[in-house]
Amino acid sequence: MVEAVPMPLRRRWRVHLFAAAVVLAVVTAARAQDYNNGGGGGDDDDENDKPQFKAQEACNGAFLSYTFMERTKEYPHLKNATAQAYAFKAQATVLNAMTEDLKAWQMFVGFQHKEILVSVGGAVLLDGTDFPANVSGGATFAGYPMADLLNSIETAGDMTQIQVQIDITGTQFGIKPPGMPMPKTIKLANPGFRCPAPTHKDSVMYVCCVKDPTFKTKKANSTRYLPRQKGDLTIAYDVLQAFGNKYMAQVTIDNWSPIGRLDNWNLTWEWKRGEFIENMRGAYTLLKEGPACVYSPAASYYKDFDFTPVYSCEKRPVIVDLPPEREKDTAVGNLRFCCKNGTLLPPTMDESKSRAMFQLTVYKLPPDLNRTALYPPQNWKIAGKLNPHYVCGQPIRVSPMEFPDPTGLMSSTPAVASWQVACNITRPKKRASKCCVSFSAYYNDSTVPCNTCACGCGGNDTAMCNQNAHPILLPSEAMLVPFDNRTAKARAWAKIKHWRVPNPMPCGDNCGLSINWHVMNNYKSGWSVRLTIFNWQDYTFKDWFAAVTMGDHYSGYENVYSFNGTRMGAPFNNTIFMQGLPGLAYLEPITDGKTPDDPRVPGKQQSVISFKKKDAPNINIPKGEGFPKRVYFDGEECALPETIPRVSSARRRSGPASLLHLVTGAAIIMIVAVVDSFCL
């Protein structure tokens, strides 16, 4: 038997040391594994490494962050870096680090690189702009489907309830890699919060917005809902009945603006969860596509459902009001405040016509098949014939609307759930108006016409004219004929005045309605104006109204003679509101001339407005102080001319023209126009 050779002491010490190291490594790994299983580990280490981690931990408010993720060059590939387009992805977060809920959160991102958003996840654009959306001036995001962020205390720190993540995809311009195309700023847009300048580190921007202690809040209600908003126009979305796979809702539109109105209103929204409208009362969808619904996602779930009578499966349905003759129709009408052909008047004109109402039955899709899974549509828009441009916010959850008992008892019944959409009037952009104004005065024989392309230019309209040229001054009689019939008169007038005629001629204003403001006279104790409204459309304006905002000399307003004129209060100070007298509430459409060769004749309404100088003795009419600052028609702000009539040097030297001079001038214009028409 061979005996084992004993291991040397030094080698035996190395083996024991190696075994101890192995045991120590195993124990350490086991402890680390137990720690990770308990909720910590690598993910937390990654979070701790983020530059915003310390600021987020110290925030006692709403913590916002914006992280630029990546971008790739888009076609076409250009050498000019400022014109090169890049597809980018970014991620924004809103974390509620307060002890109270953050209701209807709104985050503003100050984009500054001509960004065009293509898609947004976890939120929607507050103004409801359709994608692709140009947000080069910045964009405000609102929560959907999670509009409210709960507090950490009542949710045990559940990040899915206290934080929202916004995934942004779009196109941007002008920053060549490796530059970081970051926004100018980020902030919480909710009122009552203060946001310092954000911190910017590499591709991350973050800020902690805290409550403003000086902000005066309204008396808090006893519910957890936000108070109802104020706006020029508000829309209520009230769920009256809720079932497992469907619900019945009522939509109420209220016009609160003293100068806002809608004619033939069209209401649109966007379904986000596959809903469809099965039935309606008080309104209808322009496209009633029941048979087409069999190809929609709803048909794959409701396999035995008869889609023939369904109103709409469109993601963005267009809803319009019923005509008055359907008001008592028990099948589609018979609903209070419905059936006015889409007319919403200011409450100051007729309060009974300032509200519209309709009801609809909405079917839902999985996973929303329970009574409490209720989501309103998003991206609301409303527009009319010749009316203001409304920008609507996203719906916010408000306290349930209470409805009186239909049997006449003193009890009331609350809605299952209620949301409110607030819409406000915005001033039209340049060349995007729907009406325009021309100026004329007794001291100048030329009329300043509407601006070139005041209501837009495009397509073939600019093929034979110059859309960038200033309009040519015209004789007063040229304002009585359509623009297409003014060319000869304009050329003749320019020859008499020795003005250069541009080639090509300026384009027209392209407005379906125009207003002429003519300063008639100026005497010692007062002055007067003649206001003329021209309708160039094949459309009758019923219950029309106009409003004129004057300058500092508004206090001298005396009377409107052929219209019903009243002074308006705040916020429309210095404004005169005018509407047709009984029997004159219709502005007739354009009609044909007496013969086929005669120009068409516009519908017209006219009145004289008088002013006194007692309260404004220093008004200087010849210097142009008799012209308005703003003019409205049916709520739409009309485009004003870029210049005003000035006192001509000839008139200053010779004084008022005699009747002989006027007759002679008119005869010369007619002769030159005839000769010029033959030359054309």
Side-chain angles (χ1 to χ4, degrees):
M1 185 174 184
V2 181
E3 294 182 1
V5 179
M7 183 180 296
L9 181 60
R10 180 177 297 177
R11 187 175 179 184
R12 194 184 311 163
W13 176 81
R14 291 177 179 175
V15 171
H16 290 318
L17 184 61
F18 177 75
V22 171
V23 172
L24 181 61
V26 171
V27 172
T28 303
R31 292 184 62 186
Q33 184 178 3
D34 292 341
Y35 180 76
N36 288 341
N37 291 339
D43 290 342
D44 281 354
D45 292 339
D46 293 341
E47 288 291 328
N48 296 344
D49 292 339
K50 291 183 178 180
Q52 69 267 34
F53 177 75
K54 291 184 178 180
Q56 177 177 311
E57 291 293 298
C59 181
N60 185 14
F63 188 80
L64 283 62
S65 70
Y66 179 93
T67 304
F68 176 78
M69 308 294 290
E70 62 180 20
R71 65 171 171 172
T72 56
K73 186 180 289 188
E74 295 178 350
Y75 290 107
H77 293 178
L78 306 175
K79 294 182 179 180
N80 184 359
T82 59
Q84 179 61 55
Y86 294 88
F88 79 98
K89 291 185 178 181
Q91 188 180 93
T93 62
V94 182
L95 170 67
N96 180 16
M98 301 182 293
T99 58
E100 58 187 88
D101 297 346
L102 178 59
K103 296 289 186 181
W105 65 265
Q106 298 175 9
M107 178 181 180
F108 175 79
V109 179
F111 294 110
Q112 58 178 341
H113 302 293
K114 303 178 182 178
E115 285 86 351
I116 299 173
L117 299 189
V118 176
S119 67
V120 174
V124 292
L125 292 174
L126 181 64
D127 59 3
T129 304
D130 295 330
F131 294 115
N134 188 337
V135 294
S136 55
T140 301
F141 298 97
Y144 184 85
M146 195 163 68
D148 303 332
L149 295 178
L150 305 183
N151 64 80
S152 178
I153 297 174
E154 297 180 358
T155 60
D158 184 359
M159 296 298 290
T160 62
Q161 299 186 65
I162 67 175
Q163 178 177 270
V164 66
Q165 177 178 302
I166 310 170
D167 297 316
I168 303 171
T169 303
T171 297
Q172 55 190 193
F173 295 83
I175 298 294
K176 186 178 181 179
M180 290 292 182
M182 298 294 290
K184 187 175 183 180
T185 186
I186 58 173
K187 63 182 179 180
L188 192 70
N190 295 56
F193 284 84
R194 289 190 306 184
C195 299
T199 302
H200 180 197
K201 292 184 178 180
D202 298 327
S203 61
V204 178
M205 181 179 288
Y206 55 90
V207 66
C208 178
C209 300
V210 297
K211 282 209 160 186
D212 186 355
T214 63
F215 181 75
K216 294 182 180 179
T217 58
K218 295 182 179 180
K219 185 178 179 180
N221 51 31
S222 58
T223 67
R224 299 185 63 177
Y225 303 108
L226 287 172
R228 297 181 183 274
Q229 305 173 89
K230 291 184 178 180
D232 294 322
L233 183 140
T234 59
I235 306 173
Y237 191 83
D238 301 305
V239 176
L240 305 182
Q241 295 178 325
F243 306 93
N245 65 334
K246 65 178 181 178
Y247 64 86
M248 186 178 77
Q250 179 171 284
V251 178
T252 307
I253 308 172
D254 285 295
N255 179 22
W256 303 104
S257 172
I259 64 166
R261 73 176 284 165
L262 284 168
D263 295 288
N264 306 114
W265 55 258
N266 285 4
L267 177 66
T268 63
W269 60 55
E270 182 179 356
W271 295 115
K272 290 287 189 177
R273 307 179 75 86
E275 301 96 331
F276 66 91
I277 302 173
E278 188 260 344
N279 192 21
M280 297 186 73
R281 286 179 56 210
Y284 65 102
T285 56
L286 277 181
L287 182 60
K288 194 171 181 180
E289 52 166 11
C293 291
V294 298
Y295 302 104
S296 68
S300 61
Y301 178 76
Y302 296 100
K303 296 181 180 179
D304 298 327
F305 192 85
D306 182 13
F307 284 93
T308 305
V310 167
Y311 266 62
S312 175
C313 293
E314 287 185 291
K315 187 176 183 179
R316 293 184 178 90
V318 180
I319 300 170
V320 297
D321 196 12
L322 287 170
E325 53 266 24
R326 293 296 189 97
E327 183 177 3
K328 301 300 181 181
D329 191 322
T330 56
V332 296
N334 202 24
L335 191 66
R336 197 179 177 202
F337 300 114
C338 87
C339 315
K340 295 189 289 287
N341 208 29
T343 297
L344 279 175
L345 297 179
T348 52
M349 286 185 66
D350 191 338
E351 191 170 356
S352 66
K353 294 183 179 180
S354 64
R355 168 176 286 188
M357 183 183 294
F358 63 89
Q359 295 178 351
L360 66 161
T361 301
V362 180
Y363 271 76
K364 304 181 293 181
L365 294 180
D368 302 330
L369 301 181
N370 61 72
R371 294 175 184 268
T372 59
L374 300 171
Y375 299 93
Q378 302 290 304
N379 301 334
W380 294 62
K381 295 181 181 179
I382 192 167
K385 177 69 176 177
L386 195 157
N387 302 123
H389 179 252
Y390 290 90
V391 174
C392 301
Q394 299 294 352
I396 65 167
R397 187 77 179 265
V398 294
S399 58
M401 177 69 73
E402 294 186 354
F403 299 95
D405 189 274
T407 63
L409 298 177
M410 297 182 63
S411 62
S412 60
T413 303
V416 178
S418 294
W419 288 265
Q420 187 199 41
V421 178
C423 306
N424 289 295
I425 297 173
T426 61
R427 297 191 67 180
K429 297 179 181 179
K430 188 176 182 180
R431 297 190 171 187
S433 299
K434 298 177 183 177
C435 56
C436 65
V437 180
S438 61
F439 286 159
S440 57
Y442 69 91
Y443 52 77
N444 194 313
D445 52 3
S446 295
T447 297
V448 179
C450 292
N451 294 331
T452 302
C453 301
C455 297
C457 275
N460 297 327
D461 296 338
T462 59
M464 302 297 293
C465 61
N466 186 353
Q467 60 179 327
N468 297 316
H470 292 288
I472 299 177
L473 299 183
L474 300 171
S476 57
E477 66 269 15
M479 306 307 297
L480 302 175
V481 297
F483 179 83
D484 293 340
N485 301 98
R486 297 177 187 174
T487 303
K489 294 180 180 293
R491 291 181 181 274
W493 191 247
K495 287 184 178 180
I496 293 175
K497 295 293 185 178
H498 305 289
W499 295 332
R500 184 182 66 84
V501 178
N503 187 22
M505 294 280 284
C507 296
D509 53 69
N510 294 321
C511 295
L513 187 134
S514 63
I515 298 175
N516 175 251
W517 179 275
H518 176 72
V519 179
M520 295 175 58
N521 50 48
N522 177 32
Y523 46 94
K524 184 176 181 180
S525 60
W527 55 287
S528 60
V529 169
R530 182 178 67 241
L531 179 77
T532 308
I533 306 172
F534 298 99
N535 182 11
W536 306 99
Q537 304 178 75
D538 294 312
Y539 176 83
T540 300
F541 290 94
K542 181 182 177 183
D543 296 324
W544 63 268
F545 69 85
V548 178
T549 300
M550 302 299 295
D552 299 332
H553 312 296
Y554 163 79
S555 57
Y557 163 69
E558 181 184 20
N559 196 13
V560 178
Y561 294 93
S562 299
F563 303 154
N564 183 10
T566 56
R567 295 172 179 260
M568 297 187 69
F572 294 97
N573 296 325
N574 302 342
T575 300
I576 307 168
F577 185 88
M578 295 167 281
Q579 57 181 312
L581 294 171
L584 299 175
Y586 290 84
L587 180 58
E588 298 296 334
I590 190 171
T591 56
D592 294 330
K594 294 182 178 180
T595 67
D597 295 331
D598 292 335
R600 303 190 75 190
V601 181
K604 186 175 66 173
Q605 290 274 16
Q606 189 178 81
S607 181
V608 172
I609 309 172
S610 61
F611 297 84
K612 293 293 186 180
K613 291 184 178 179
K614 181 179 179 181
D615 297 327
N618 298 323
I619 184 173
N620 194 329
I621 297 299
K623 284 191 175 182
E625 294 182 355
F627 293 97
K629 304 299 182 183
R630 292 187 182 182
V631 177
Y632 304 87
F633 182 83
D634 276 2
E636 168 75 2
E637 184 174 348
C638 303
L640 297 180
E642 297 177 354
T643 60
I644 59 176
R646 302 291 183 181
V647 177
S648 63
S649 58
R651 181 173 290 274
R652 284 196 297 266
R653 291 193 303 267
S654 60
S658 65
L659 179 60
L660 178 61
H661 290 160
L662 294 176
V663 174
T664 304
I668 294 175
I669 292 173
M670 294 177 63
I671 294 172
V672 176
V674 171
V675 174
D676 193 64
S677 63
F678 281 114
C679 295
L680 294 175

